[in-house]
Amino acid sequence: MIATTSRLVLRRMTSDDLSPLRAILSDPIVMTAYEGAFDDDESAQWLERNLQRYEDDGFGLWAVDLPGAGMIGQCGITRQRIDDDEVLEVGYLFNRDYWHRGYATEAATAARDWAFRELDADTIWAKVRDTNLASMNVAIRLGMSVRRRFIVRYRGVDMPHLGFAVDR
């Protein structure tokens, strides 16, 4: 277990989490900011890449469990690039059935605080596609403000992004 909140448990994902992860990544509405749903292979690659992060960095995206419901999302800290800089980013992605209940903010707050405490991070970032208002609102609730605008090329598309950040 990485962290707990009043309602959630954040823990390392395992290969057993592929099915609930697929349910998230295969939903075209959830994955709008990624230019559409992932197929089964892309979902498996996403999980494998994250498991490798645990090996390489000691952290990554974690499963977010709601007691009684199981894995409802993923949230955690990853190393990301913003322009030429490597940053620590809090990422969050949840099953649509659990949207609008504050779970993303609750989990992301726990992940942000974990990074400040365990990694001694000075700044935590959130890379948010400029059309993703819900994700922007989570970043704002984390105390973040926009510090950069940049383009991410993903799946053959240039996507304008905002770099939100908060200092310890």
Side-chain angles (χ1 to χ4, degrees):
M1 178 176 53
I2 304 298
T4 59
T5 70
S6 62
R7 301 183 293 172
L8 305 171
V9 175
L10 282 68
R11 61 167 176 80
R12 283 186 173 209
M13 280 190 254
T14 70
S15 58
D16 292 337
D17 292 313
L18 183 57
S19 180
L21 185 61
R22 257 192 201 128
I24 296 165
L25 300 177
S26 67
D27 183 326
I29 294 172
V30 170
M31 298 301 288
T32 298
Y34 290 85
E35 284 300 302
F38 284 11
D39 63 26
D40 287 350
D41 288 340
E42 289 170 311
S43 295
Q45 290 169 13
W46 180 279
L47 178 59
E48 285 305 314
R49 185 170 54 251
N50 196 64
L51 296 178
Q52 189 61 50
R53 285 181 173 130
Y54 298 157
E55 295 299 316
D56 295 345
D57 298 327
F59 54 90
L61 293 171
W62 302 305
V64 178
D65 288 341
L66 177 64
M71 183 179 167
I72 63 168
Q74 59 179 350
C75 180
I77 304 295
T78 59
R79 294 186 190 281
Q80 296 289 329
R81 302 247 10 124
I82 295 180
D83 296 323
D84 293 330
D85 297 320
E86 182 180 276
V87 301
L88 292 174
E89 186 212 20
V90 61
Y92 35 89
L93 195 58
F94 282 75
N95 185 306
R96 188 164 32 120
D97 292 342
Y98 296 91
W99 284 6
H100 308 295
R101 299 181 193 183
Y103 295 131
T105 300
E106 191 172 325
T109 298
R112 177 205 62 199
D113 293 349
W114 180 92
F116 285 147
R117 183 180 62 253
E118 300 297 326
L119 302 178
D120 199 27
D122 291 324
T123 304
I124 300 297
W125 290 80
K127 291 170 59 174
V128 180
R129 192 165 178 186
D130 72 348
T131 56
N132 191 340
L133 295 177
S135 191
M136 288 180 207
N137 285 330
V138 171
I140 291 166
R141 287 185 196 104
L142 293 175
M144 296 179 162
S145 59
V146 175
R147 298 205 185 155
R148 292 198 190 166
R149 298 176 191 280
F150 56 99
I151 302 292
V152 173
R153 184 153 185 83
Y154 190 72
R155 293 178 132 183
V157 177
D158 287 335
M159 302 177 194
H161 276 65
L162 301 173
F164 285 82
V166 63
D167 297 324
R168 181 173 15 173

